[in-house]
Amino acid sequence: MDNRNKVHTSFNVEVVWQDRSSARSILAAIVLVGLLSARLVYTTFITNTKPLEQPLIINSFSRTVRKRFHAWMFLFNGPRIIQDRFDKANGRSFEVLAPDNRYVFVSSVKHIKELDTAPDTVLSLQAASKQMLQPVYTMHGFNWFDRRGTEGVGFVRALRTLLTNNLPQILPDLGVIVRTRFMELHSTHTTQNAKNEQFMESALAYIEETLICAEIVRLIPKFLVPFIGGIIAWRLKSHETVFDTLLPIAEQRCQERDLQNIGQAVPEHADCIQWIMATSPRQNPWTAKRVVHELMAIWFGSVHALSTTITFAFHDICIHPEYVQPLREELQTKYGAFERTGTGLPLLDSFIKESARLTPVESMSTRRSALQPFTLSDGTKVSPGDWACTPVRAIMQSAEYYPEPMKFYGFRFVDSTILLKSASSNLNFRQPVASKFTDVNQAWHVWGTGRMACPGRYYASAVMKVIIGQVLKNYDCKLAKPVGPCSATLRSSRHSVATLRLGVNIDHELQTESLPSLLQHAD
């Protein structure tokens, strides 16, 4: 006889932006810098031109103003601008201007390979990331080199190998944390962070503040960057809290490393701090400060895109409820094996991939900043400071690679032998060749391309499956406000509007006898 007590309840989970003023801050900064730039252009033309010459340059001035206007429009409508240029290019390279940069987009297999094989001294991913994130002002003074490998690339092995190999040990605990967190929301409707509440709040705010600070610094004139950037870094405190909290831990680990080197026994640790230290250069090991800087960069890269992708996936679950039942059946029978291995769940994997294909976080991938002049085989020139990149959203929504590209088919990437034929044509639709969310190929640039593909993609994919899987197993989700846009745009990125106002209506059948054991594991 089943003696478990079942409690039928419902509650709303509101995902809210903790500081709504941040969105207004970004917009106000963009508008202000735009007005200053327009004024500077106008003043330059007028003050450097004699009165009789002014009528002769009015057309040139108008063209300049129009060009700058379109460049500033990229900040608000980047994905659409990239898509329009992609459609007109017919496979050729094309350029898009932003207020602070020139982007050269390539989409052919030949040109993408040319980007991937270009030396790091010519086209640099690290230089592009440095310009995008402005780490000197957003990551407590972190100032990495433009060229990859100058101070080692230990983080690549730490993420691709050590972190991935430890997924079977990480995922069960992560599942407990997710389940416990939702139970807390269900019982109290209050926010309870981890043991160090100030650190957790700062760690979450750090992502948003990095975006704000970096965007402002990128747009202001270069001679003002040290002054304005310093003020913003001083005003936004989250990166300082994160750094100050992690530094003593990293210093203790460095002391243990030194003791181990002289033969003394030290505690064993299996976490990202230790893996970063273990893969730093042997001849010149990273200091505690450098280890924390690496962790802060990894934290931003792992949280921002991952959380937004999960949010878009939940949105698709709500508007395509026909996928819920087959996904739940897969989770009921195969989730345990997934936790033990870190692999599997092909239906959920395909659903997340299809969601990411139609609502990608980014419309630009494979970013490379030119450190030296570079010329593509078609003659297109990339000057120092320009970026070469791929139009990832346009490629993933191209009929050349994806049949019926604008229709959502959640199981389009599943092997036809895995899922039996269903009455629903949506569930039966397949790509000619099955693939995985973590794949990297000519039609899938979510993780970058070639030798620079994201080393943490296996961990990111597994975390997405844990969070989405736990919710699907235990809750029925509905959009609080089904009508309206699901995302907003800044540059080439899409940010979920759901982060601001999405509600999830949850009907949960809770097995109360499992609570004590779950909470015990969570402790």
Side-chain angles (χ1 to χ4, degrees):
M1 178 177 179
D2 187 358
N3 59 2
R4 292 176 294 185
N5 297 318
K6 294 184 178 180
V7 182
H8 297 269
T9 59
S10 64
F11 65 99
N12 292 331
V13 176
E14 287 289 342
V15 186
V16 287
W17 202 349
Q18 293 182 353
D19 184 5
R20 293 171 185 260
S21 64
S22 299
R24 293 192 294 269
S25 299
I26 295 178
L27 182 59
I30 291 173
V31 172
L32 177 60
V33 175
L35 292 173
L36 290 174
S37 298
R39 176 64 181 175
L40 180 62
V41 170
Y42 175 78
T43 302
T44 301
F45 268 86
I46 296 300
T47 57
N48 293 302
T49 306
K50 297 178 180 179
L52 293 178
E53 295 175 340
Q54 289 179 12
L56 301 177
I57 64 164
I58 189 66
N59 290 334
S60 175
F61 177 72
S62 297
R63 286 194 298 270
T64 301
V65 170
R66 286 196 299 269
K67 189 175 182 180
R68 295 308 299 165
F69 173 78
H70 289 300
W72 279 90
M73 286 304 298
F74 178 79
L75 301 182
F76 306 99
N77 201 23
R80 173 48 52 193
I81 292 173
I82 295 172
Q83 183 69 54
D84 290 343
R85 302 286 174 84
F86 173 83
D87 293 339
K88 295 175 182 177
N90 293 320
R92 299 185 300 273
S93 58
F94 60 93
E95 75 168 14
V96 172
L97 298 180
D100 59 331
N101 213 342
R102 172 178 177 258
Y103 303 124
V104 176
F105 286 89
V106 300
S107 57
S108 70
V109 175
K110 180 180 180 181
H111 289 158
I112 293 172
K113 186 175 181 180
E114 290 174 14
L115 298 191
D116 185 50
T117 56
D120 296 338
T121 55
V122 179
L123 296 181
S124 171
L125 170 61
Q126 289 203 177
S129 300
K130 185 176 180 179
Q131 181 181 347
M132 183 170 65
L133 299 179
Q134 297 294 323
V136 171
Y137 307 105
T138 64
M139 299 182 182
H140 205 270
F142 192 11
N143 190 20
W144 62 67
F145 287 90
D146 288 338
R147 182 183 176 186
R148 190 186 196 212
T150 303
E151 293 182 305
V153 289
F155 70 93
V156 174
R157 180 171 174 262
L159 297 179
R160 179 180 295 158
T161 303
L162 300 180
L163 179 58
T164 302
N165 290 345
N166 279 274
L167 283 177
Q169 288 73 46
I170 295 171
L171 295 185
D173 290 339
L174 180 60
V176 170
I177 291 171
V178 173
R179 290 194 299 270
T180 304
R181 180 70 186 110
F182 274 99
M183 289 177 183
E184 290 172 353
L185 286 170
H186 172 264
S187 61
T188 65
H189 289 226
T190 61
T191 301
Q192 299 176 6
N193 292 311
K195 295 180 180 179
N196 188 331
E197 183 172 345
Q198 182 183 11
F199 170 76
M200 289 304 299
E201 290 177 352
S202 297
L204 295 174
Y206 162 69
I207 305 300
E208 187 176 316
E209 291 182 2
T210 296
L211 293 171
I212 296 169
C213 180
E215 190 62 43
I216 295 173
V217 170
R218 291 173 68 178
L219 293 174
I220 61 179
K222 293 187 183 301
F223 72 90
L224 290 176
V225 166
F227 177 68
I228 301 297
I231 292 176
I232 297 173
W234 171 78
R235 177 65 179 85
L236 302 179
K237 297 293 187 180
S238 63
H239 67 105
E240 184 177 335
T241 301
V242 171
F243 182 87
D244 291 343
T245 303
L246 293 176
L247 184 61
I249 302 173
E251 289 175 338
Q252 177 64 33
R253 298 291 181 86
C254 289
Q255 292 175 7
E256 293 176 0
R257 178 187 60 195
D258 296 338
L259 292 174
Q260 188 178 39
N261 289 338
I262 61 175
Q264 295 193 26
V266 297
E268 294 185 3
H269 306 281
D271 54 35
C272 207
I273 296 177
Q274 200 66 31
W275 298 330
I276 289 292
M277 292 179 59
T279 54
S280 66
R282 292 183 180 275
Q283 298 300 322
N284 186 24
W286 286 340
T287 64
K289 181 178 179 180
R290 177 56 190 268
V291 170
V292 174
H293 279 153
E294 291 286 339
L295 289 168
M296 293 176 72
I298 292 171
W299 173 255
F300 177 87
S302 63
V303 172
H304 173 55
L306 186 147
S307 60
T308 307
T309 301
I310 291 173
T311 304
F312 284 140
F314 277 127
H315 184 272
D316 285 322
I317 287 170
C318 292
I319 62 178
H320 300 288
E322 66 272 19
Y323 289 95
V324 172
Q325 189 57 36
L327 288 173
R328 280 180 173 163
E329 290 175 359
E330 178 184 63
L331 290 166
Q332 291 297 330
T333 58
K334 298 179 180 179
Y335 186 82
F338 160 72
E339 272 197 339
R340 291 190 296 271
T341 63
T343 61
L345 301 179
L347 301 188
L348 182 56
D349 186 273
S350 176
F351 189 93
I352 296 172
K353 183 171 184 176
E354 179 71 345
S355 176
R357 186 184 71 83
L358 285 175
T359 51
V361 178
E362 264 291 347
S363 296
M364 177 192 302
S365 184
T366 320
R367 296 176 177 87
R368 303 288 188 269
S369 179
L371 303 180
Q372 300 179 35
F374 179 77
T375 303
L376 292 164
S377 58
D378 66 353
T380 301
K381 296 185 182 301
V382 185
S383 302
D386 293 348
W387 284 15
C389 39
T390 60
V392 58
R393 177 176 177 265
I395 291 174
M396 294 194 301
Q397 297 176 9
S398 170
E400 179 181 357
Y401 299 109
Y402 300 95
E404 299 185 45
M406 301 312 296
K407 290 188 177 181
F408 186 96
Y409 293 113
F411 297 153
R412 77 158 65 221
F413 301 105
V414 179
D415 191 309
S416 59
T417 62
I418 293 177
L419 190 66
L420 296 176
K421 292 294 183 181
S422 167
S424 171
S425 59
N426 283 1
L427 302 186
N428 286 334
F429 191 91
R430 300 287 182 279
Q431 285 286 118
V433 178
S435 61
K436 297 179 181 180
F437 183 43
T438 54
D439 285 353
V440 175
N441 55 48
Q442 65 186 37
W444 189 253
H445 301 170
V446 166
W447 310 105
T449 54
R451 61 193 177 93
M452 297 290 191
C454 174
R457 63 187 185 275
Y458 302 102
Y459 172 77
S461 174
V463 170
M464 292 180 196
K465 291 177 184 178
V466 169
I467 295 174
I468 297 173
Q470 289 295 332
V471 173
L472 278 174
K473 285 172 63 178
N474 297 297
Y475 303 97
D476 293 320
C477 304
K478 296 179 182 178
L479 293 174
K481 297 180 180 179
V483 179
C486 69
S487 64
T489 297
L490 179 63
R491 286 189 183 260
S492 59
S493 301
R494 300 182 71 185
H495 302 270
S496 175
V497 176
T499 310
L500 294 171
R501 61 182 184 81
L502 174 65
V504 184
N505 297 318
I506 301 175
D507 297 308
H508 183 201
E509 186 176 84
L510 177 64
Q511 298 179 359
T512 55
E513 73 169 14
S514 64
L515 274 173
S517 60
L518 284 176
L519 294 175
Q520 182 178 6
H521 285 301
D523 293 339

